[in-house]
Amino acid sequence: MINCTIFFILTLHLVYGDLSYSIPEEMKAQSVIGNIAKDLGLDVGTISSRKARLDFEETHKRYCDINLGSGDLVTSERIDRETLCGKKASCVLKADLMLENPLELHRVSLHVQDINDNSPKFKKNVIEMEIGESAVTGNRFSVEEAHDADIGQNAVQRYSLQKNDYFVLAVDSKKVQLLLENALDREKQKEMNLTLTALDGGSPQKSGTVVIHITVLDANDNAPVFSQSVYKATLPENSPLDTVVISVSATDADEGINGDVTYDLAHVSDDDLNVFSIDTKTGEIRVSGVIDFEERNSFEMRVEAKDGLSLTSYAQVIIDVTDINDNAPIINLKSLSNPIPENVSPGTEVGIVNVQDRDSGTNRQVRCSIHQSVPFKLVPSFKNYYSLVTTEQLDRELVSDYNITITATDEGSPPLSSSKTVQLSVADINDNPPVFEEQSYSAYVTENNKPGSTLCSVTARDPDWRQNGTVIYSLLPGEVNGAPVSSYLSVNGDTGVIHAVRSFDYEQFKSFKVHVMARDNGSPPLSSNVTVSVFISDVNDNSPQILYPTPEGNSFMTELVPKAAHGGSLVSKVIAVDADSGQNAWLSYQIVKSTDPGLFTIGFHSGEIRTQRDISESDNMKQNLIVSVKDNGQPPLSATCAMYLLISDNLAEVPELKDISYDEKNSKLTSYLIIALVSVSTVFLTFIIIVMGVRFCRRRKPRLLFDGAVAIPSAYLPPNYADVDGTGTLRSTYNYDAYLTTGSRTSDFKFVTSYNDNTLPADQTLRKSPSDFMEYNNILVFMQKYIPRYFFPKVFHWQLSFHCLYFAFFFLWFNDTSTRKGSACQCLNRSMNLFKSTVTFNMRRVSLSD
């Protein structure tokens, strides 16, 4: 390897700074030219992080590169100055040094210095010359010069001629001529061989030789003469083969064979011989190879004219190649950020584009643009560099990939263009919360469901990608009927399927709401909520409950039916409710068994027991009815109750219902009897005093005996039952007149007639007449029936009968004087009968066992 000194020249600017280096040709690959980092005043880490790189103009070869680890500028391949620049005195390689973030451009010039790597070379190994013996001493004979690819001092500097008796070497303005010192004598020597040596000025020096074969001829006095010493021509590049470039012409004053001139190319390199050829007869120089302005824009050749006796002369031919627009622009993507986060702000630089055109002049001017409707544009930066920047906010969920076609068009005629497609992907960020497919969800489940059963499924979509779009479902904390919502429902975190944790009871609650949250896996996570309404549908899982009559223990329900009751008379009513709803709570009543099947009937939906015909003497006094209450569910559920009816007008006529056995435990009732008697007597005396006071104060004012009818006390109804019309449940407006009963402990009255708002309006009064005193009996029955029922043990009912007798007496005594005495006596008589029969009946009940 030739050791050469590296010359270094550096001029540094902040932007558009120039770096200049001088290097010898033929350096080995990876030879250090200089340190870019040091010359720019940057540290090595900055050179690497800013992606420093070189782009050479007008060539695809990379002669040198940057070592990012050390910042050194090193050769990438062998650089041959002769190949790059030929005979040009200055050979400069120009490159762009580009730094990113921010974009910074520096011009780098590499001055390639010539070294003596080429020897002088003659076109031929033997030069044939014919010189007439008549040549005069002092004549000069031109000889083809040697060609050395090197330049300057390394080119051919001198020639030397082998010592002989006839010729010496004369060199003038690089013309090599043989000077005839002594006259030739063909007879002594008709031919000779002389060695011509060409020497360059390099170190070490190199040389080339050629043998000049001289044939001594008879005299040829005139050499050919060219019409011009220099010929110039202009040739467009890409000219077709065999195109005539120029014609040279030389004349010879001699005649005959001495005047015949032939042409040849002299002092032409092998490359030029492949491009041009000359017609030896006409002197036309034609194109024989490819003419490319970008490879070489001019040619210099010497044309030789020789006559028949080998006298020669030379002319110079200069051919300038003109550029045509034959190169389309080349688009180079120098840098690209891919993928791009979708949250980058408009105006963000995502890539750097470089455009090159090998043509020159206007053919080299290039316009670069994007014609697509994409949120990107090209912004001119330095020289032929463009920045690819965003123009608006990106949204990966709308467009995730962009194919951006960049088009570059030059200013030639016609213009040439090229395109390059840049593929850009948009990177996802978590900017979208999950969105449920519906605004709210409804789930329907029948009660008594199995735990773990599926109620419904919620679905939320998240248009984000991968973990940002992965949706996880969960229940928001809350309470349902005071219990955590998690004790009722659960949701599958992956699928959104909602399951029941427990079995639901429609009678406990009919519906409830929960909130489901959908959360993605982004950072930070985003979420949204939706309301899920759960509706529980009823199933027929509750049998009808009979409120009246209600059997307790071994007692039985007994109702008293007057013997004079006519067909269609209301004698009692079965009251039942069903905890279910809808058709599952629609109740129907049916007598499944009776002592006399044709005597009583029951309302199918009302439960009212009525006589089908008039009661006759032949009818059995004791009537036993078994009533079935059935709901309308599928399958239907039912309940039954027993009701005992006694056909009698007087309690004294009531036969023994059963054998009564005395239990020694009843001996304890004596003390209870004394306490109850004192309590009842105190209440009764207080009531008499109040009645007497009222009667004296308002003696002369007409008074409504009783407004309305006796209503069933509200305390008699069981709690948690709503009033449902038409379903068999108790109506709050159903009123009945009460009569004396002889039945069980829980129901001691029967219903005979009913009143409603049409029968007896609230603003009307009852005027007393002889028949009005029948109502007094009702008052007595009410007192006998309800006061002991709610305040005293039922075994003491007979005590009230005694007090009822006094009440009847005082009531008649303080009544209006217009009342007929017969009616008063009749009422008093009935009160005494009532007392008698009640005492008799209740004495029997004292001994009944529970």
Side-chain angles (χ1 to χ4, degrees):
M1 177 64 187
I2 302 174
N3 296 322
C4 298
T5 303
I6 302 176
F7 300 95
F8 170 71
I9 303 173
L10 172 62
T11 304
L12 179 62
H13 299 283
L14 182 60
V15 180
Y16 291 105
D18 291 339
L19 297 176
S20 181
Y21 298 92
S22 292
I23 62 172
E25 64 173 328
E26 303 294 340
M27 291 183 69
K28 292 182 179 180
Q30 299 303 312
S31 297
V32 178
I33 299 174
N35 190 281
I36 293 292
K38 180 179 179 181
D39 296 338
L40 292 178
L42 302 174
D43 55 55
V44 176
T46 302
I47 292 292
S48 177
S49 63
R50 294 183 64 182
K51 302 178 182 178
R53 61 178 173 272
L54 289 175
D55 291 325
F56 285 87
E57 293 183 357
E58 302 179 1
T59 179
H60 296 291
K61 294 184 178 181
R62 297 192 61 83
Y63 295 102
C64 56
D65 208 341
I66 299 175
N67 187 331
L68 296 180
S70 62
D72 290 333
L73 179 65
V74 298
T75 58
S76 298
E77 58 181 61
R78 185 180 67 86
I79 301 176
D80 185 10
R81 192 204 66 80
E82 288 75 33
T83 302
L84 289 175
C85 304
K87 287 291 186 179
K88 291 181 180 179
S90 175
C91 184
V92 180
L93 283 176
K94 293 183 178 181
D96 292 329
L97 171 61
M98 185 171 65
L99 301 174
E100 296 185 12
N101 298 321
L103 181 62
E104 188 174 335
L105 190 67
H106 298 272
R107 296 282 291 177
V108 178
S109 299
L110 297 178
H111 297 269
V112 183
Q113 303 298 327
D114 183 48
I115 64 173
N116 191 24
D117 59 340
N118 292 283
S119 301
K121 185 178 180 181
F122 290 93
K123 181 180 178 182
K124 300 177 182 178
N125 294 326
V126 178
I127 298 176
E128 298 287 345
M129 297 184 67
E130 294 179 349
I131 302 176
E133 62 179 341
S134 61
V136 179
T137 302
N139 284 350
R140 295 173 181 264
F141 302 94
S142 297
V143 179
E144 178 185 0
E145 299 173 357
H147 174 73
D148 194 326
D150 295 325
I151 61 171
Q153 190 69 22
N154 296 324
V156 176
Q157 297 297 318
R158 65 187 181 89
Y159 294 88
S160 64
L161 182 65
Q162 178 184 352
K163 188 175 181 180
N164 61 85
D165 297 333
Y166 301 99
F167 297 94
V168 294
L169 192 63
V171 179
D172 183 17
S173 299
K174 295 186 178 181
K175 292 183 179 179
V176 181
Q177 295 177 328
L178 296 179
L179 177 63
L180 183 62
E181 285 187 327
N182 299 311
L184 297 175
D185 187 355
R186 183 177 180 278
E187 286 68 31
K188 288 183 178 181
Q189 188 176 356
K190 59 179 182 181
E191 60 181 27
M192 64 186 71
N193 291 321
L194 302 178
T195 300
L196 178 65
T197 302
L199 300 171
D200 61 23
S203 178
Q205 190 178 53
K206 294 187 177 183
S207 63
T209 60
V210 66
V211 175
I212 302 175
H213 182 262
I214 300 174
T215 302
V216 181
L217 303 175
D218 287 335
N220 182 18
D221 300 327
N222 297 285
V225 177
F226 281 97
S227 60
Q228 298 175 218
S229 60
V230 177
Y231 292 88
K232 294 184 178 181
T234 301
L235 177 68
E237 65 172 325
N238 299 331
S239 295
L241 297 178
D242 210 31
T243 299
V244 176
V245 180
I246 194 172
S247 294
V248 296
S249 174
T251 58
D252 195 316
D254 295 326
E255 294 181 355
I257 191 172
N258 294 327
D260 293 336
V261 179
T262 60
Y263 302 94
D264 195 7
L265 295 177
H267 304 291
V268 179
S269 65
D270 294 338
D271 293 336
D272 293 347
L273 288 175
N274 295 328
V275 177
F276 298 101
S277 63
I278 189 170
D279 191 314
T280 57
K281 295 296 183 181
T282 62
E284 291 181 345
I285 299 176
R286 297 176 180 270
V287 176
S288 60
V290 178
I291 305 297
D292 189 358
F293 175 85
E294 287 71 40
E295 295 292 335
R296 190 169 179 180
N297 56 15
S298 66
F299 295 89
E300 291 186 13
M301 299 177 291
R302 297 191 71 181
V303 178
E304 178 189 63
K306 183 172 63 173
D307 60 18
L309 294 179
S310 298
L311 293 179
T312 60
S313 61
Y314 297 91
Q316 186 177 11
V317 177
I318 300 175
I319 302 174
D320 292 325
V321 181
T322 59
D323 181 49
I324 65 172
N325 192 26
D326 61 338
N327 291 282
I330 300 174
I331 301 173
N332 299 309
L333 188 62
K334 297 299 182 181
S335 176
L336 183 66
S337 300
N338 196 15
I340 313 168
E342 61 178 323
N343 61 341
V344 296
S345 58
T348 301
E349 181 181 86
V350 297
I352 298 175
V353 178
N354 174 254
V355 182
Q356 299 269 348
D357 195 316
R358 298 183 63 200
D359 296 321
S360 62
T362 57
N363 296 332
R364 187 185 180 90
Q365 303 300 318
V366 179
R367 300 187 310 272
C368 196
S369 60
I370 299 174
H371 298 292
Q372 297 168 278
S373 179
V374 292
F376 299 92
K377 68 177 180 179
L378 288 174
V379 177
S381 186
F382 304 118
K383 195 180 176 183
N384 52 352
Y385 285 89
Y386 295 84
S387 294
L388 180 63
V389 299
T390 59
T391 59
E392 60 186 58
Q393 189 68 47
L394 303 179
D395 190 347
R396 191 205 67 84
E397 287 69 45
L398 295 179
V399 181
S400 60
D401 295 283
Y402 290 94
N403 290 325
I404 305 171
T405 301
I406 301 174
T407 302
T409 305
D410 60 26
E411 298 289 343
S413 180
L416 298 178
S417 63
S418 61
S419 299
K420 186 177 186 67
T421 299
V422 179
Q423 293 182 343
L424 283 176
S425 299
V426 182
D428 183 54
I429 64 170
N430 192 27
D431 58 342
N432 291 281
V435 178
F436 285 93
E437 292 183 347
E438 300 180 18
Q439 294 183 350
S440 62
Y441 290 85
S442 297
Y444 298 89
V445 59
T446 58
E447 63 173 328
N448 304 326
N449 59 293
K450 292 183 178 180
S453 58
T454 299
L455 300 187
C456 68
S457 176
V458 297
T459 302
R461 306 293 183 188
D462 193 322
D464 292 326
W465 195 42
R466 290 186 176 174
Q467 66 177 14
N468 293 334
T470 302
V471 179
I472 300 174
Y473 303 92
S474 62
L475 288 175
L476 290 180
E479 291 187 353
V480 176
N481 283 4
V485 67
S486 58
S487 64
Y488 288 88
L489 299 177
S490 67
V491 61
N492 188 304
D494 296 327
T495 63
V497 177
I498 298 177
H499 301 278
V501 175
R502 63 165 66 176
S503 179
F504 300 124
D505 187 0
Y506 177 83
E507 287 70 43
Q508 183 181 3
F509 52 89
K510 298 176 177 58
S511 65
F512 61 92
K513 292 183 179 180
V514 297
H515 298 282
V516 178
M517 179 180 69
R519 176 180 58 84
D520 58 29
N521 257 341
S523 179
L526 301 178
S527 63
S528 60
N529 302 333
V530 72
T531 300
V532 179
S533 300
V534 180
F535 298 94
I536 304 170
S537 58
D538 182 49
V539 297
N540 193 28
D541 59 342
N542 290 282
S543 300
Q545 181 179 354
I546 299 175
L547 302 181
Y548 180 84
T550 303
E552 295 183 1
N554 296 328
S555 64
F556 51 87
M557 305 299 296
T558 303
E559 299 290 347
L560 190 62
V561 180
K563 292 181 179 180
H566 299 289
S569 299
L570 178 64
V571 297
S572 185
K573 178 180 176 66
V574 177
I575 302 175
V577 293
D578 195 314
D580 295 322
S581 64
Q583 67 177 6
N584 294 329
W586 295 351
L587 303 182
S588 60
Y589 301 83
Q590 183 179 5
I591 298 175
V592 296
K593 183 178 180 181
S594 64
T595 304
D596 189 349
L599 182 55
F600 298 100
T601 183
I602 189 170
F604 187 74
H605 292 294
S606 65
E608 295 178 346
I609 299 177
R610 298 178 181 272
T611 57
Q612 292 193 80
R613 58 178 173 79
D614 296 343
I615 296 177
S616 63
E617 293 294 339
S618 62
D619 290 330
N620 193 346
M621 180 178 294
K622 295 191 300 181
Q623 295 289 331
N624 183 12
L625 301 181
I626 304 299
V627 178
S628 172
V629 183
K630 182 172 65 174
D631 59 28
N632 198 36
Q634 293 296 331
L637 301 177
S638 62
T640 59
C641 65
M643 180 171 287
Y644 297 91
L645 302 177
L646 296 178
I647 301 175
S648 175
D649 291 330
N650 195 330
L651 289 177
E653 299 175 359
V654 178
E656 295 293 329
L657 299 177
K658 58 184 287 188
D659 295 336
I660 302 176
S661 59
Y662 178 75
D663 191 349
E664 292 180 357
K665 294 181 182 180
N666 291 330
S667 61
K668 296 181 181 180
L669 295 178
T670 303
S671 58
Y672 299 152
L673 177 61
I674 295 173
I675 297 173
L677 182 58
V678 173
S679 300
V680 173
S681 299
T682 303
V683 173
F684 178 73
L685 290 176
T686 303
F687 176 76
I688 293 301
I689 293 172
I690 294 173
V691 171
M692 290 177 65
V694 172
R695 291 301 299 170
F696 278 114
C697 293
R698 306 178 63 181
R699 183 179 183 85
R700 295 180 180 178
K701 296 181 180 180
R703 180 177 178 82
L704 174 65
L705 182 60
F706 285 98
D707 293 334
V710 178
I712 300 174
S714 60
Y716 184 71
L717 295 176
N720 301 327
Y721 287 98
D723 297 338
V724 182
D725 190 13
T727 61
T729 59
L730 181 61
R731 302 180 187 176
S732 60
T733 60
Y734 215 112
N735 303 321
Y736 298 92
D737 286 336
Y739 283 88
L740 178 65
T741 64
T742 60
S744 67
R745 304 174 184 177
T746 59
S747 180
D748 296 332
F749 67 96
K750 72 172 183 176
F751 301 97
V752 178
T753 60
S754 63
Y755 300 107
N756 52 35
D757 293 340
N758 295 327
T759 304
L760 182 61
D763 58 350
Q764 294 183 10
T765 60
L766 298 177
R767 297 299 180 181
K768 287 179 283 188
S769 65
S771 61
D772 293 338
F773 289 96
M774 295 298 293
E775 300 298 332
Y776 299 154
N777 185 47
N778 294 342
I779 298 174
L780 300 178
V781 173
F782 174 79
M783 295 183 63
Q784 181 272 342
K785 182 178 184 64
Y786 290 104
I787 293 178
R789 179 182 184 90
Y790 295 101
F791 297 99
F792 305 101
K794 295 181 181 180
V795 295
F796 305 122
H797 287 189
W798 62 272
Q799 301 175 47
L800 183 60
S801 299
F802 178 78
H803 293 287
C804 288
L805 180 61
Y806 290 103
F807 172 77
F809 176 78
F810 281 102
F811 185 83
L812 295 175
W813 180 266
F814 292 105
N815 199 9
D816 196 295
T817 56
S818 63
T819 304
R820 282 185 279 181
K821 294 181 180 180
S823 298
C825 293
Q826 182 180 0
C827 182
L828 181 59
N829 183 52
R830 292 197 60 180
S831 297
M832 294 179 66
N833 291 336
L834 174 63
F835 171 74
K836 183 190 301 182
S837 61
T838 302
V839 170
T840 303
F841 179 74
N842 283 308
M843 287 299 293
R844 294 172 181 160
R845 296 183 61 186
V846 170
S847 62
L848 289 177
S849 63
D850 291 334

